[in-house]
């Protein structure tokens, strides 16, 4: 007796067949039973097989425990590991701070793409591995992003999300202002304001183009746009705005300040700290007229006035020289930094003198002037020898050429106010302006600050102003860690969207810095993210089975980092549900 498979039309059947001999002794076959169609057989035959085995005294198949297949290196299949710890941390901070409320803003605009998720991807990329928008797609292949499906994501999706960001700018600004308000001290808030230049690429021109040629912070004339940033004393950025690349800094202060007041109307006191480039008589008069709460205040006449601390630019030091006589007497005997103040136009002129910095500046100027004078003497000697018919090595020198070269060298040394080159004279000549040199020596090591803050000692005013250096570090983060420039976008709204994405990334960066400092970890956000990316997501398949997902072991170092950042630890069960 045996099992036979027969075909009838398109179907195949399993039959139980036996052999026998007929009366003539010939071997014949007959079907004992048809067990069913091959494509419909399931586990129903198991009981028949087990029964036959049992009758024959053998162990049924159902009673045996199948031996687990041996796991060998050849039976394991690993997918490429993806970084998880850094994007997990940033995603948790994004949700905790309230950035996920952006989803509500974009939901009203009826976009078919998940704009909030795409904006989040670009912000996280700025912090982890800043790249172009096309580079974002390559970066996504190396990370395990929670809650986001990235398989169908394209470059156009990212650009459309940037357009949506600008189309809903008011709603986005409202969400960001709302999440920042709990982090800002309502009783006493010190706001620092400064501007920087961001280089752009491309030669095309657009209507309303913000890419203009101007003097960059690096001292070069380039095509750029201006970025103004306001931040708190803790280094938390609270507002930004993009301006044309040739905009004067003094014209940006009041418009930005008014918008900050609108975003944070409940501030009871605000002290503005700004750099030298923002001081003008018009600005001071306008600043003194501003009241907190503005027109929304119940009694504008009694509203708290805006307070400010603004440094005096060096080009205006000559206006204050006569006010420093009494303070200068103290500076002569000073061994460490001293402070003082005098009255000026109804305001406080706060003074600081650093003897060490004064000596350094004087020595640098002396060395520069000595080198220039030595160069001038050499050129004068060569010109005299040429007039007498004597030849010297090198190209022939003319008086006009010597004047131009010397003037250029003087300007490069920033000594144009002291060394005066007579460009109209027939012969090469120059003079030392003794009054300008005396003024420069008087101002060496000094810092002059104008303020209307009445309840702050001079040393505290200077300390507040020096904290402005932290916003410069914020610009450094934007330009180096976040790589805001150079910008290759040409559309004005895309440039503004790019700046907004970098601004959101800077907020996350600063919150990380504040928490790492509070926990005394000694880590920067960059080092923490670089270390956390070693927490990885893995997928492995054994003997061709369905892949198993898991998270790599989390070290004590990583646990301490996550605790300092107030972020929960990613677990395998959570990851299995997310990815």
């Amino acid at each position: 007796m045996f099992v036979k498979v027969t075909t009838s039309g398109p179907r195949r059947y399993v039959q139980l067949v036996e052999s026998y001999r007929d009366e003539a002794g010939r071997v014949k076959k007959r079907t004992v039973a048809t067990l069913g169609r091959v494509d419909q057989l399931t586990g129903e035959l198991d009981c028949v097989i087990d029964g036959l085995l049992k009758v024959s005294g053998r162990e049924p198949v159902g009673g045996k425990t199948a031996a687990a297949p041996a796991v060998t290196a050849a039976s394991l299949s690993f997918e490429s590991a993806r970084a998880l710890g850094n994007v997990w941390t940033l995603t948790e901070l994004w949700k905790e701070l309230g950035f996920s409320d952006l989803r509500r803003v974009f939901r009203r605009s009826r976009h078919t793409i998940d704009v909030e998720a795409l904006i989040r991807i670009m912000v996280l990329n700025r912090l982890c591995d800043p790249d172009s928008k096309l580079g974002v797609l390559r970066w996504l292949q190396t990370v395990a992003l929670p809650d986001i499906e990235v398989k169908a994501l394209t470059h156009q999706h990212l650009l459309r999300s940037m357009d949506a960001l600008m189309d809903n700018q008011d709603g986005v600004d409202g969400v960001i202002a709302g999440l920042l308000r709990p982090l800002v001290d309502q009783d006493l808030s010190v706001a620092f304001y400064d501007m920087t230049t961001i280089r752009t690429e491309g030669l095309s021109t657009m209507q309303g183009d913000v890419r203009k040629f101007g003097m960059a912070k690096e001292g070069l004339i380039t095509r750029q746009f201006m970025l103004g940033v306001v931040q708190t004393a803790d280094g938390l950025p609270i507002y930004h705005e993009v301006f044309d690349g040739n905009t004067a800094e003094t014209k940006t202060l009041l418009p930005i300040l008014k918008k900050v007041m609108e975003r944070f109307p409940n501030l009871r006191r605000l002290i503005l700290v700004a750099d030298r480039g923002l001081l003008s008589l018009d600005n001071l008069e306008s600043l003194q007229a501003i009241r907190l709460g503005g027109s929304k205040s119940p009694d504008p006449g009694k509203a708290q006035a805006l307070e400010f601390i603004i440094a005096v630019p060096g080009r205006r030091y000559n206006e204050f020289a006569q006010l420093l006589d009494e303070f200068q007497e103290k500076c002569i005997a000073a061994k460490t930094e001293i402070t003082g103040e005098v009255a000026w136009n109804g305001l406080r002129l706060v003074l600081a003198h650093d003897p060490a910095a004064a000596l350094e500046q004087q020595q640098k100027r002396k060395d520069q002037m000595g080198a220039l004078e030595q160069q001038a003497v050499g050129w004068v000697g060569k010109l005299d020898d040429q007039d007498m018919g004597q030849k010297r090595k090198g190209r022939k020198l003319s008086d006009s050429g010597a004047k131009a070269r010397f003037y250029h060298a003087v300007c490069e040394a920033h000594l144009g106010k002291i060394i005066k080159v007579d460009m109209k004279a027939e012969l090469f000549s120059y003079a030392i302006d003794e009054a300008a040199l005396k003024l420069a020596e008087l101002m060496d090591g000094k810092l002059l600050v104008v303020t209307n803050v009445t309840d702050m000692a001079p040393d505290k005013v200077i300390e507040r102003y020096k904290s402005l250096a932290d916003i410069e570090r914020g610009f450094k983060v934007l330009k180096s860690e976040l790589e805001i420039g150079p910008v290759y976008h040409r559309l004005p709204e895309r440039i503004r969207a790019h700046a907004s994405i970098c601004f959101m990334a800077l907020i996350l960066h600063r919150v990380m810095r504040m928490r790492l400092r509070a926990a005394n970890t000694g880590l920067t956000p960059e080092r923490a993210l670089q270390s956390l990316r070693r927490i990885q997501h893995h997928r492995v398949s054994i003997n061709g089975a369905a892949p198993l997902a898991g998270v790599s072991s989390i070290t004590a170092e990583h646990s301490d980092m996550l605790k300092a950042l107030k972020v929960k630890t990613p677990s395998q069960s959570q990851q299995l549900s997310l990815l």
Side-chain angles (χ1 to χ4, degrees), residues 47-209:
C47 59
V48 177
I49 296 171
D50 287 346
L52 294 173
L53 289 173
K54 188 175 181 180
V55 170
S56 63
R58 301 178 187 179
E59 184 178 356
V61 175
K64 294 182 180 179
T65 302
V71 178
T72 62
S75 66
L76 295 175
S77 176
F78 293 93
E79 296 183 10
S80 297
R82 294 177 177 240
L84 171 67
N86 51 354
V87 292
W88 170 271
T89 300
L90 293 171
T91 299
E92 291 297 307
L93 289 175
W94 176 276
K95 295 176 181 177
E96 178 196 343
L97 293 176
F99 280 105
S100 54
D101 290 342
L102 292 173
R103 190 179 299 273
R104 172 172 41 83
V105 174
F106 298 120
R107 188 182 295 121
R108 292 196 298 266
S109 60
R110 297 182 180 179
H111 286 279
T112 57
I113 56 176
D114 190 347
V115 178
E116 184 270 338
L118 299 182
I119 296 298
R120 190 198 327 164
I121 287 174
M122 290 185 281
V123 170
L124 268 55
N125 172 257
R126 287 286 124 192
L127 289 158
C128 296
D129 186 17
D131 208 334
S132 65
K133 302 306 177 289
L134 281 172
V136 171
L137 301 179
R138 294 188 291 269
W139 171 72
L140 285 173
Q141 306 305 314
T142 66
V143 297
L145 274 173
D147 302 334
I148 299 178
E149 178 59 49
V150 299
K151 291 182 180 180
L153 188 60
T154 66
H155 181 231
Q156 287 300 317
H157 288 151
L158 297 178
L159 296 181
R160 270 186 249 155
S161 67
M162 295 176 71
D163 295 337
L165 183 64
M166 290 296 97
D167 292 341
N168 298 272
Q169 185 66 58
D170 292 340
V172 172
D173 290 345
V175 169
I176 294 178
L179 67 89
L180 287 173
R181 285 188 192 108
L183 305 177
V184 177
D185 183 1
Q186 303 294 324
D187 293 321
L188 172 60
S189 182
V190 179
F192 297 87
Y193 174 61
D194 203 356
M195 295 191 71
T196 191
T197 57
I198 307 297
R199 185 166 62 89
T200 62
E201 297 290 346
L203 300 176
S204 62
T205 57
M206 308 290 298
Q207 185 176 2
D209 206 337

Side-chain angles (χ1 to χ4, degrees), residues 250 253-254 278-288:
T250 53
L253 178 58
L254 292 177
L278 298 170
L279 179 65
S280 72
L281 291 176
D282 293 337
N283 270 352
L284 289 179
E285 293 176 1
S286 301
L287 289 175
Q288 293 179 77

